[in-house]
């Protein structure tokens, strides 16, 4: 089956690459043009006139430059610093951000406040934000196809706002709803990654490295600086696992991906593997025990829990929905053609009849799920969530795309929020909430910059928090562009990885020494 490349096939990682390509146009120009007699790189167009030997020589020199340039920057060589200005600035800014994390959440210099749930205030904040976004940032989308990029970014944005408010206000009654939101994120992991790999067929080491960088670089740095386990930020390992599974499903026998029977077979194989790992008693722990060092987590408030319990619980809740996301991506062209067929009905009455049927069917399914499962207490609901989370997700995107008018507009404000979901998720632990100076602790307190004025404190802390989250997004993408260039070869990736490891180890050593000097703790 041939698939058309639409905006829906673009993932958030692709958007980040394109953002950097535009923002760093001048740097890219310098990197792809000849630099005189030094011969590090040449114009891309000249490659057609050169023989293989000259091309290999240039590649070797380029790798030597990449490896040595970082060393020269560390030696404060002016020329190297000028050429790597954006990357050096990004590393420095990352260091400042990590210091802010430590200062706000570990130094004890910033006050804390108790969380207080106020349902009216929570929904008032969300309603005001949504109304403002609708009134001022409602824009026409680039395409009218269902589930296009702006729409999925918008969906991620408003879900993330409610997710963060749930944490800030400790809104326990929203637990089941938040579980659905997280399932929707995992569904998007299956949907977006399948769309990309199925259409682009790019399984290169560079693409894989960029994908892993996007998901894990910042969280690894944060874990190292804050002395936290990877699993404290469970969204990151969970999305990494399911992204790897999507990648593996399509990379294996990739030349057969154009045949429907092979795709169906891969869906069945994925389902069978997941069922075996999570449904057979003891299988999960036997498989992941060798990786305990990576997936372990023990909450200081509950020290007697098995180290892999959190990983099994979190990953198990959404173990099937990523497969459903892949299936939705595969059948998306048919869904798009169906909606287009409805839009093109000759009379308004006929079109509204079909649209009304779609809305009635989706609303009925959503209502049945609501009264049957959603109203259960969280312990009971968790038992059914892995098998039913696809129902509200499907109902929502069917309703959201039921008419052309709904598909052709989006709220840009929520799209902006949706682009930094990873950054806001990680940063909330340390510069919006507080873990009370305790490694691996859950953020049960609030950061308090304006004691005694909770609303003013919410506004001030949120302003700082959102601003820093956007800077994290920009910084990590600049560093990704510098460390994993889109046209890098395997040798360049290896050189950069080795040098990066040395830099990180040195930085961690200095950070530990500084913490010991100022606080007496490592």
């Amino acid at each position: 089956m041939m698939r058309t490349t639409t905006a829906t096939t673009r993932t958030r990682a692709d958007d980040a690459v394109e953002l950097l390509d535009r923002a760093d146009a001048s740097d890219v120009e310098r990197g792809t043009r000849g630099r005189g007699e030094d011969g590090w790189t040449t114009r891309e167009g000249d490659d057609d006139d050169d023989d293989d030997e000259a091309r290999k020589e240039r590649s070797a020199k380029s790798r030597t430059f990449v490896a040595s340039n970082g060393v020269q920057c560390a030696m404060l060589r002016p020329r190297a610093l000028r050429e790597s200005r954006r990357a050096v600035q990004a590393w420095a800014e990352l260091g400042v951000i990590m210091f802010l994390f430590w200062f706000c959440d570990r130094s004890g210099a910033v006050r804390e406040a108790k969380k207080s749930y106020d349902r009216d205030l929570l929904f008032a904040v969300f309603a005001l934000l949504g109304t403002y976004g609708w009134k001022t940032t409602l824009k026409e989308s680039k395409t009218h196809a269902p589930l296009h990029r702006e729409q999925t970014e918008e969906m991620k944005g408003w879900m993330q706002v409610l997710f963060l408010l749930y944490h800030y206000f400790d809104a326990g009654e929203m637990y089941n709803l938040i579980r659905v939101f997280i399932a929707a994120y995992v569904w998007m992991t299956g949907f977006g990654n399948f769309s990309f790999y199925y259409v682009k067929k790019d399984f290169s080491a560079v693409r894989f490295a960029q994908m892993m960088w996007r998901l894990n670089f910042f969280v690894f740095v944060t874990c190292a600086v804050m002395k936290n386990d990877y699993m404290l930020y469970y969204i990151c390992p969970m999305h990494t696992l399911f992204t790897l599974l999507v990648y593996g499903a399509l990379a294996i026998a990739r030349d057969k991906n154009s045949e429907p029977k092979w795709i169906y077979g891969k869906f069945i194989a994925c389902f069978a593997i997941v069922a075996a790992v999570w449904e057979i008693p003891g299988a999960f722990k036997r498989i992941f025990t060798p990786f305990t060092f990576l997936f372990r987590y023990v909450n200081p408030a509950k020290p007697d829990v098995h180290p892999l319990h959190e990983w099994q619980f979190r990953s198990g809740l959404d173990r099937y929905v990523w497969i459903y996301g892949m299936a939705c991506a595969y059948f998306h062209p048919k869904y798009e053609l169906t909606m287009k067929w409805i839009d093109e009905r000759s009379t308004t009455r006929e079109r509204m009849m079909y649209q009304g049927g779609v809305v009635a069917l989706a609303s009925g399914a959503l209502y049945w799920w609501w009264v049957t499962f959603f109203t259960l207490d969280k312990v009971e609901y968790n038992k059914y969530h892995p098998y039913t989370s696809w129902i509200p997700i499907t109902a929502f995107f069917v309703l959201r795309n039921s008419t052309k008018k709904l598909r052709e507009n989006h709220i840009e404000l929520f799209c902006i929020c949706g682009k930094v979901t990873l950054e806001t998720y990680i940063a909330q632990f340390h510069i919006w909430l507080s873990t009370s100076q305790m490694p691996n602790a859950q953020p049960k307190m609030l950061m308090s910059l304006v004691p005694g004025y909770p609303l003013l404190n919410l506004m001030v802390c949120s302003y700082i928090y959102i601003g820093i989250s956007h800077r994290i997004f920009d910084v990590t993408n600049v560093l990704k562009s510098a460390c994993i260039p889109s046209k890098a070869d395997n040798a360049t990736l290896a050189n950069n990885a080795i040098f990066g490891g040395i830099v990180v180890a040195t930085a961690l050593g200095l950070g530990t020494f500084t913490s010991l000097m100022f606080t007496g703790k490592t």
Side-chain angles (χ1 to χ4, degrees):
M1 178 182 298
M2 297 299 294
R3 306 286 299 276
T4 58
T5 304
T6 65
T8 60
T9 64
R10 299 172 60 186
T11 62
R12 188 171 162 196
D14 303 321
D15 300 334
V17 172
E18 292 179 6
L19 175 65
L20 283 177
D21 288 341
R22 294 194 297 269
D24 299 341
S26 60
D27 288 350
V28 172
E29 181 71 8
R30 287 195 298 272
T32 57
R33 299 297 178 187
R35 292 178 178 147
E37 298 179 356
D38 293 325
W40 288 324
T41 56
T42 61
R43 292 192 301 272
E44 294 176 8
D46 292 344
D47 289 347
D48 296 335
D49 302 326
D50 296 335
D51 56 20
D52 292 340
E53 184 176 349
R55 197 174 292 116
K56 291 179 181 178
E57 182 179 356
R58 280 199 313 277
S59 178
K61 289 181 178 180
S62 177
R63 289 196 297 270
T64 302
F65 167 71
V66 171
S68 63
N69 203 36
V71 176
Q72 292 180 30
C73 286
M75 297 173 65
L76 303 181
R77 297 287 177 83
R79 182 176 181 178
L81 291 172
R82 285 195 301 270
E83 292 173 347
S84 305
R85 175 178 55 84
R86 285 182 59 82
V88 171
Q89 289 176 341
W91 281 115
E93 190 171 354
L94 179 64
V96 172
I97 291 170
M98 288 296 98
F99 173 77
L100 288 175
F101 277 23
W102 174 85
F103 181 79
C104 292
D105 196 38
R106 289 287 192 272
S107 68
V110 178
R111 295 184 180 183
E112 296 178 339
K114 292 183 178 180
K115 295 181 179 181
S116 177
Y117 180 47
D118 187 328
R119 180 194 297 169
D120 293 340
L121 179 58
L122 186 155
F123 286 105
V125 170
F126 181 73
L128 286 172
L129 188 64
T131 302
Y132 173 79
W134 178 60
K135 286 290 187 180
T136 61
T137 67
L138 186 67
K139 294 185 178 181
E140 184 175 355
S141 303
K142 296 177 181 179
T143 176
H144 299 164
L147 291 170
H148 53 75
R149 182 175 62 87
E150 289 97 340
Q151 189 183 111
T152 54
E153 292 287 2
E154 176 197 75
M155 183 179 176
K156 287 190 289 184
W158 64 258
M159 288 194 305
Q160 184 72 356
V161 170
L162 283 173
F163 182 62
L164 294 173
L165 291 175
Y166 161 78
H167 281 164
Y168 192 90
F169 288 98
D170 196 19
E173 67 175 356
M174 292 175 58
Y175 176 87
N176 292 356
L177 182 63
I178 298 303
R179 293 273 69 79
V180 175
F181 289 173
I182 295 174
Y185 285 124
V186 176
W187 176 87
M188 290 182 193
T189 293
F191 182 87
N193 282 289
F194 181 94
S195 297
F196 177 86
Y197 291 117
Y198 186 83
V199 175
K200 299 288 187 180
K201 299 178 177 61
D202 181 5
F203 298 94
S204 64
V206 171
R207 168 66 188 180
F208 181 83
Q210 289 177 338
M211 176 176 60
M212 291 297 102
W213 178 285
R214 176 76 188 101
L215 290 171
N216 292 295
F217 169 73
F218 184 68
V219 71
F220 279 166
V221 173
T222 303
C223 287
V225 172
M226 305 303 291
K227 309 298 183 186
N228 288 331
D229 288 339
Y230 183 39
M231 266 304 299
L232 177 66
Y233 315 93
Y234 68 89
I235 293 293
C236 298
M238 190 169 67
H239 282 279
T240 299
L241 172 66
F242 297 134
T243 297
L244 289 173
L245 291 174
V246 175
Y247 179 88
L250 290 178
I252 297 172
R254 66 190 70 174
D255 57 322
K256 302 293 186 180
N257 287 342
S258 59
E259 301 179 27
K261 64 180 180 180
W262 276 87
I263 293 296
Y264 298 150
K266 290 184 177 186
F267 289 162
I268 294 172
C270 288
F271 186 88
I273 291 171
V274 169
V277 173
W278 275 273
E279 306 289 356
I280 298 176
F284 183 91
K285 289 182 179 178
R286 282 196 295 271
I287 292 172
F288 284 99
T289 293
F291 305 100
T292 300
F293 70 96
L294 184 62
F295 297 112
R296 72 181 306 277
Y297 174 72
V298 177
N299 188 339
K302 302 176 181 178
D304 297 330
V305 176
H306 190 281
L308 289 177
H309 170 78
E310 187 76 3
W311 175 230
Q312 184 173 8
F313 171 69
R314 297 294 185 182
S315 61
L317 283 173
D318 301 307
R319 57 186 179 267
Y320 293 113
V321 75
W322 63 276
I323 305 174
Y324 179 61
M326 291 200 301
C328 288
Y330 184 69
F331 291 108
H332 178 265
K334 295 183 181 295
Y335 174 53
E336 182 178 348
L337 289 174
T338 301
M339 299 310 297
K340 185 177 180 181
W341 180 83
I342 293 175
D343 292 337
E344 293 174 348
R345 292 303 85 203
S346 57
T347 65
T348 302
R349 182 176 180 274
E350 184 181 8
R351 184 173 63 254
M352 291 184 66
M353 181 182 69
Y354 284 112
Q355 291 173 345
V358 169
V359 170
L361 183 62
S363 299
L366 184 61
Y367 176 77
W368 174 80
W369 169 84
W370 182 285
V371 298
T372 306
F373 301 108
F374 186 76
T375 54
L376 298 173
D377 67 84
K378 70 177 188 179
V379 176
E380 284 298 312
Y381 175 79
N382 283 339
K383 296 178 182 178
Y384 298 100
H385 176 80
Y387 315 104
T388 62
S389 62
W390 64 274
I391 299 174
I393 294 171
T394 306
F396 173 80
F397 73 65
V398 168
L399 293 172
R400 178 68 175 82
N401 293 279
S402 57
T403 70
K404 184 177 180 180
K405 187 66 176 178
L406 288 172
R407 295 194 301 273
E408 66 186 9
N409 293 293
H410 67 277
I411 298 176
E412 183 67 20
L413 178 63
F414 285 136
C415 291
I416 295 172
C417 296
K419 292 177 181 178
V420 293
T421 52
L422 181 65
E423 291 74 20
T424 52
Y425 171 73
I426 297 172
Q428 66 169 323
F429 283 77
H430 307 297
I431 54 172
W432 202 47
L433 309 177
S434 174
T435 59
S436 303
Q437 306 176 49
M438 186 176 296
N440 283 331
Q442 294 293 323
K444 297 295 185 181
M445 304 291 285
L446 305 176
M447 185 172 74
S448 179
L449 299 180
V450 191
Y453 298 88
L455 286 178
L456 183 59
N457 184 70
L458 172 61
M459 290 188 288
V460 172
C461 292
S462 297
Y463 180 80
I464 296 171
Y465 160 63
I466 293 171
I468 291 178
S469 296
H470 279 277
R471 289 310 306 152
I472 294 169
F473 176 81
D474 292 338
V475 163
T476 52
N477 279 296
V478 168
L479 293 176
K480 182 181 72 174
S481 182
C483 298
I484 313 175
S486 296
K487 295 184 179 180
D489 56 20
N490 292 340
T492 300
L493 294 179
N495 288 339
N496 287 354
I498 293 171
F499 180 75
I502 295 173
V503 171
V504 170
T506 303
L508 290 177
L510 291 174
T512 301
F513 176 76
T514 302
S515 177
L516 186 62
M517 289 289 291
F518 282 96
T519 66
K521 301 177 182 179
T522 59

